Amino acid sequence: MLDVALASAGAQVVLATSSDENFPPENIIDGSGSTFWLTTGLFPQEFIISFTNLMNINNIRLLTTNVEGLSIERSVQNEPVNFEPLTEKVLEFVEGELQSEDIQVDATTAHHLRFVIKSGFDHFISIHRVNVNGSAVH
Amino acid sequence: MVVLRAKCIVAGDSTVGKSALVQTFHSDGSHFPKSYTMTEGVEVCVKSVVIPDTSDTVELVIFDSAGKEIFYDHVKKNWDHPSVVCLVFDLSSEPSFHSCSKWLERIRNQKPEIVLPGVLIGNKLDLEQRRTVTPKFPMEFASSHGLEYFECSAKEQQNVEAPFYYLAQEFYKMYQTKAETITSMAM
């Protein structure tokens, strides 16, 4: 199992609802926790990560700030369409450091993952890393 | 270059001129509604404000909310995730000024832990003869609640833009600060 949500592994952020050139969505998949995507106001916010092909996945790890309500959806299509719910979370507020959230998803498959941030503990939330433990479906 | 988006809740008693203020601001002064139309529920419009000396913009998504109590249950459903607050009263109506604390509390209760920049606006500055609220009390109320106080006349297009520019600036400053805080936290 490898982190399949890395630009170096061919993953792409194909949609993001906020864009500040100083904090682009590509920062989510660059492998570094010190760079981040920053939302620019309003909720909900969302982004979609597309993998190179259909993946078996079992664990998602998020490094964030100020995220409260979060839902994750998956698509198994070649194009990022027909998303279905995967899991919903309400994160805890953490003061002065990043939120680190481990989400077990019982052995499932996905070609694309959509992350919807429904609410936050601040006007602006940041996503530093999304780790998706997975391997290509053969 | 970045475009920020802020949800601006405009609240206050009915007939203080919230819609007149919003429409005058939104139309750059070309539209002042001469006859009264009661707002039922919430009317939404968007106005971009360029932040001086930058290429950055704050889009104010303005939620002009009915002041009549009978619509409140419906109005508050549209108030989730507020970004900035705009309280309006009528300088010729003391009760409308006293209601501002109620409106502020209602908006802040949406998300008590979040800092909401806000303005308090005394409208109908043109009705000099009928003015009953002196600047003293609104100024005190504003400073004790972390609001900035403005007086304006939507009818005469006097000082209408200032409070909205202030809100856009404050929201922009919060974003800058947040970006710096998170950057240093993540190092």
Side-chain angles (χ1 to χ4, degrees):
Chain A
M1 288 278 179
L2 285 168
D3 183 3
V4 293
L6 281 170
S8 57
Q12 283 182 297
V13 180
V14 294
L15 178 143
T17 49
S18 279
S19 114
D20 178 344
E21 60 197 7
N22 294 317
F23 309 101
E26 287 70 30
N27 284 350
I28 297 170
I29 53 167
D30 67 355
S32 158
S34 54
T35 58
F36 53 91
W37 174 61
L38 184 60
T39 64
T40 56
L42 303 186
F43 290 98
Q45 295 275 346
E46 68 172 77
F47 60 94
I48 297 174
I49 298 178
S50 292
F51 307 120
T52 46
N53 48 318
L54 190 64
M55 298 288 177
N56 289 307
I57 60 173
N58 60 12
N59 178 273
I60 300 172
R61 219 178 108 224
L62 292 150
L63 215 49
T64 59
T65 68
N66 293 314
V67 172
E68 189 176 12
L70 170 77
S71 73
I72 306 176
E73 300 168 14
R74 67 167 193 147
S75 160
V76 296
Q77 312 288 318
N78 281 330
E79 297 299 314
V81 291
N82 300 335
F83 280 89
E84 49 189 276
L86 191 57
T87 183
E88 296 233 0
K89 284 273 167 188
V90 177
L91 275 61
E92 304 254 322
F93 176 68
V94 184
E95 177 92 59
E97 56 182 296
L98 303 184
Q99 300 165 303
S100 180
E101 187 74 17
D102 253 308
I103 301 166
Q104 291 297 327
V105 285
D106 296 328
T108 185
T109 56
H111 196 155
H112 315 273
L113 287 177
R114 168 196 264 159
F115 297 79
V116 182
I117 299 102
K118 297 173 171 174
S119 61
F121 296 105
D122 195 279
H123 300 287
F124 315 105
I125 65 102
S126 61
I127 311 283
H128 298 246
R129 278 292 289 125
V130 172
N131 273 73
V132 178
N133 228 336
S135 59
V137 173
H138 293 295
Chain B
M1 196 213 92
V2 63
V3 179
L4 306 184
R5 294 194 174 88
K7 178 166 176 174
C8 174
I9 308 237
V10 179
D13 281 358
S14 62
T15 73
V16 298
K18 297 179 294 301
S19 302
L21 194 69
V22 168
Q23 287 170 32
T24 304
F25 173 64
H26 183 243
S27 66
D28 294 318
S30 66
H31 177 66
F32 171 78
K34 288 196 180 63
S35 57
Y36 177 68
T37 315
M38 182 172 66
T39 305
E40 300 172 12
V42 172
E43 281 173 14
V44 184
C45 67
V46 180
K47 178 79 173 172
S48 289
V49 176
V50 176
I51 302 300
D53 307 319
T54 71
S55 52
D56 301 335
T57 306
V58 174
E59 273 183 15
L60 292 173
V61 185
I62 302 174
F63 281 60
D64 178 16
S65 309
K68 274 257 191 293
E69 208 52 39
I70 131 170
F71 299 117
Y72 180 61
D73 277 345
H74 174 65
V75 161
K76 72 176 177 195
K77 291 191 186 112
N78 295 279
W79 279 3
D80 57 330
H81 312 300
S83 310
V84 296
V85 183
C86 180
L87 297 175
V88 188
F89 70 95
D90 174 353
L91 287 165
S92 68
S93 155
E94 253 182 279
S96 76
F97 167 58
H98 293 302
S99 291
C100 285
S101 65
K102 171 188 80 183
W103 289 110
L104 181 61
E105 193 179 330
R106 285 174 167 181
I107 299 166
R108 291 220 160 127
N109 277 342
Q110 290 287 322
K111 200 84 183 171
E113 67 275 20
I114 282 194
V115 180
L116 293 179
V119 294
L120 175 66
I121 304 176
N123 189 28
K124 308 196 189 178
L125 189 55
D126 50 289
L127 299 179
E128 273 171 76
Q129 305 299 316
R130 284 162 56 187
R131 176 170 183 147
T132 53
V133 185
T134 57
K136 185 172 179 283
F137 295 109
M139 282 172 103
E140 281 174 9
F141 175 83
S143 72
S144 69
H145 289 87
L147 307 169
E148 194 76 8
Y149 180 55
F150 295 86
E151 292 187 351
C152 76
S153 163
K155 183 164 174 278
E156 304 293 334
Q157 294 165 36
Q158 194 182 344
N159 212 27
V160 167
E161 291 175 334
F164 292 103
Y165 287 177
Y166 170 84
L167 289 172
Q169 287 266 17
E170 288 301 299
F171 192 72
Y172 183 71
K173 275 194 244 165
M174 282 201 309
Y175 179 76
Q176 302 286 85
T177 309
K178 187 54 64 179
E180 283 166 25
T181 310
I182 299 174
T183 302
S184 58
M185 194 198 291
M187 281 297 179

